[in-house]
């Protein structure tokens, strides 16, 4: 009996990148985008409160940050398949429960509590699935050596396609099918991710479970030993404060100040994702020829310029255009970050270090939610201007420091 099982396993075909990595990443990214952009819209539609929308953004991101303290260690110990399946199935159950509960509640305290709990729980589970999917992509990219940036470009393209379709789909469904319709679609994508989770070989390590603080210490020690990655993460962390603030404030600005619908909010991020897709394709070829640093520096300049200009706009069309330019620069910097991350982080500590880097990059998101919840909507433009100036300074300092770093100057032709 044992020999038959072993023979059956030996004959099992090795999954292609399409089936083993790209397809499950696509369904997870779709659920990620719809939850990230759709749930704040759901809160605004349910409560009609800018302050509660900002608070929901905080509740959505604080659990995500907490996930990084332990999910990386779980992925290192149990593998990407188990973590991705469990997190995706859990997210499906949560949104299905909310889809059945919300229609039975009238607007008021009950509905507010439901959407706030939904924001917190989906935030946690979505980040768990993201870390597992990102680790699977890192493993696949590392196996290709100098061509790792090509896998990362495809993965970023998948994320941008999800960002293109997810917000628009969430906004349209929320407007025409209600909260239940939007949540049911998120549940479908989550269940598909659980079924399609990549089957990567994993052997449990014969060690005692690693404490949370020890996992963070491992990631921090690895990051400190990689100065190039550390400087890039530091610059992008400062930059993300402005990006997060725009993400949190966009529903309030578009719906409350400019008088547009929730579908128009989703359209902004969808159009921006189209521009980002072109940038990612261009960056892939540019990295082959020029290396990581020139591509990253140009992308940083584009992103910082767009953020400085967006606070001065007062029309929907110009706001949409500048967000698209911002996403173009963000796409280029993300290609550089993911490529450098997959090439430099050692395999035995990849999950823990990946978790720490993403944790640092996402620290500004809860702060952005607090700003939206506490600052009057009429003053948000001034806050965006200050944050954009800090972003420009942070990116300038980071890429100036990295200008002579060999890991970012090498081309991949």
């Amino acid at each position: 009996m044992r020999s038959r099982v072993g023979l059956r396993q030996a004959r099992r075909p090795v999954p292609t990148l399409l089936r083993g990595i790209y397809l499950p990443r696509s369904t997870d990214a779709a659920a990620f985008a719809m939850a990230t952009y759709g749930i704040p819209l759901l809160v605004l539609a349910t409560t009609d409160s800018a302050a509660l929308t900002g608070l929901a953004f905080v509740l959505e991101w604080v659990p995500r940050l907490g996930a990084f303290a332990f999910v990386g260690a779980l992925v290192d110990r149990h593998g990407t398949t188990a973590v991705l399946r469990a997190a995706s199935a859990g997210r499906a159950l949560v949104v299905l429960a909310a889809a059945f509960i919300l229609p039975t509640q009238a607007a008021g305290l009950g509905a507010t509590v439901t959407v706030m709990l939904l924001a917190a729980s989906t935030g946690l589970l979505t980040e768990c699935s993201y870390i597992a999917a990102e680790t699977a992509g890192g493993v696949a990219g590392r196996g290709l050596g100098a061509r790792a940036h090509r896998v990362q470009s495809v993965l970023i393209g998948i994320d941008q396609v999800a960002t293109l379709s997810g917000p628009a789909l969430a906004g349209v469904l929320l407007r025409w099918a209600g909260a239940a319709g939007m949540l049911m679609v998120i549940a479908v994508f989550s269940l598909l991710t659980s079924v399609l989770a990549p089957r990567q070989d994993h052997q449990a390590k014969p060690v005692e479970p690693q404490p949370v603080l020890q996992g963070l210490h491992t990631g921090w020690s690895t990051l400190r030993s990689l100065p190039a990655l550390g400087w890039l993460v530091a610059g992008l962390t400062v930059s993300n404060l402005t990006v997060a603030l725009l993400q949190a404030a966009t529903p309030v600005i578009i719906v409350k100040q400019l008088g547009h619908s929730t579908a128009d909010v989703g359209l902004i991020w969808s159009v921006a994702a189209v521009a980002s897709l072109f940038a990612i394709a261009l960056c892939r070829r540019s990295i082959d020829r020029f290396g990581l640093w020139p591509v990253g520096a140009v992308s940083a300049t584009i992103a910082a310029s767009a953020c400085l200009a967006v606070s001065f706009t007062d029309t929907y069309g110009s706001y949409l255009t500048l967000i698209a330019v911002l996403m173009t620069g963000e796409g280029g910097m993300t290609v550089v970050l993911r490529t450098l991350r997959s090439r430099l982080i050692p395999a035995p500590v990849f999950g823990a270090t990946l978790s720490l880097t993403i944790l640092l990059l996402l620290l500004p998101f809860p702060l952005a939610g607090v700003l939206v919840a506490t600052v009057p909507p009429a003053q948000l433009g001034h806050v965006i201007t200050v944050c954009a100036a800090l972003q420009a300074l942070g990116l300038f300092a980071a890429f100036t420091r990295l200008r002579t770093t060999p890991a970012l100057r090498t081309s991949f032709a």
Side-chain angles (χ1 to χ4, degrees):
M1 181 65 69
R2 291 182 181 179
S3 62
R4 292 180 180 178
V5 173
L7 182 60
R8 187 180 305 165
Q9 290 177 345
R11 291 177 178 176
R12 180 182 297 171
V14 178
T16 63
L17 282 174
L18 175 62
R19 168 59 184 86
I21 301 297
Y22 298 150
L23 189 57
R25 179 60 170 261
S26 298
T27 55
D28 183 63
F32 184 106
M34 289 190 67
T36 299
Y37 294 95
I39 289 178
L41 289 175
L42 174 61
V43 173
L44 183 61
T46 302
T47 65
D48 195 32
S49 169
L52 288 177
T53 302
L55 179 59
F57 197 81
V58 176
L59 292 176
E60 189 177 21
W61 282 100
V62 167
R64 292 186 178 193
L65 298 181
F68 293 108
F70 62 89
V71 177
L74 287 178
V75 171
D76 287 338
R77 190 181 311 128
H78 299 292
T80 57
T81 304
V83 175
L84 184 57
R85 282 179 174 169
S88 301
R91 179 175 56 204
L93 291 175
V94 167
V95 296
L96 281 174
F100 285 104
I101 292 173
L102 276 176
T104 66
Q105 296 177 322
L109 180 61
T112 300
V113 171
T114 299
V115 293
M116 292 299 183
L117 290 175
L118 176 65
S121 56
T122 54
L124 173 63
L125 293 167
T126 295
E127 211 57 52
C128 291
S129 69
Y130 171 76
I131 293 174
E134 183 74 357
T135 302
V139 171
R142 188 167 53 247
L144 295 178
R147 294 180 297 165
H149 67 285
R150 298 182 180 179
V151 174
Q152 294 302 321
S153 296
V154 174
L155 294 178
I156 297 170
I158 289 172
D159 290 344
Q160 294 304 320
V161 170
T163 303
L164 184 158
S165 56
L169 181 59
V172 169
L173 287 172
L174 183 59
R175 185 176 184 182
W176 299 109
M182 184 188 76
L183 294 173
M184 290 289 287
V185 174
I186 296 176
V188 169
F189 282 123
S190 299
L191 289 174
L192 285 174
T193 303
S194 184
V195 172
L196 298 171
R199 298 177 177 86
Q200 291 183 334
D201 293 334
H202 175 78
Q203 294 181 351
K205 299 177 179 62
V207 297
E208 294 297 324
Q210 188 181 50
V212 169
L213 292 179
Q214 186 177 342
L216 291 176
H217 176 73
T218 298
W220 180 252
S221 299
T222 305
L223 187 62
R224 289 184 62 187
S225 69
L226 303 170
L229 183 60
W231 274 99
L232 185 58
V233 169
L236 293 180
T237 299
V238 177
S239 173
N240 275 357
L241 177 59
T242 306
V243 177
L245 181 59
L246 288 172
Q247 184 177 326
T250 292
V252 177
I253 293 173
I254 299 303
V255 176
K256 291 289 188 179
Q257 296 184 11
L258 300 183
H260 285 257
S261 69
T262 56
D264 292 328
V265 177
L267 180 62
I268 286 180
W269 298 109
S270 297
V271 172
V274 174
S276 184
L277 283 173
F278 286 106
I280 290 168
L282 179 62
C283 286
R284 176 177 174 175
R285 295 180 179 273
S286 299
I287 290 173
D288 283 336
R289 182 173 181 180
F290 301 108
L292 292 171
W293 187 88
V295 173
V298 171
S299 300
T301 302
I302 293 172
S305 300
C307 287
L308 285 169
V310 76
S311 60
F312 298 102
T313 185
D314 57 359
T315 64
Y316 178 82
S318 57
Y319 193 93
L320 182 151
T321 300
L322 289 172
I323 293 296
V325 175
L326 165 64
M327 290 289 286
T328 299
E330 283 291 308
M333 289 192 293
T334 303
V335 173
V336 173
L337 172 65
R338 292 188 177 182
T339 302
L340 194 66
R341 200 165 54 191
S342 65
R343 292 182 64 236
L344 295 183
I345 300 176
V349 293
F350 189 89
T353 309
L354 171 67
S355 296
L356 179 67
T357 59
I358 301 175
L359 172 62
L360 295 173
L361 291 171
L362 296 185
L363 281 176
F365 280 77
L367 177 57
V370 172
L371 290 174
V372 173
T374 56
V375 174
Q379 302 299 319
L380 282 175
H382 300 298
V383 178
I384 292 172
T385 302
V386 173
C387 292
L390 293 175
Q391 176 195 37
L393 291 174
L395 290 175
F396 176 79
F399 280 95
T400 298
R401 176 63 178 80
L402 294 171
R403 187 170 182 272
T404 57
T405 302
L408 274 81
R409 300 295 297 185
T410 305
S411 64
F412 300 93

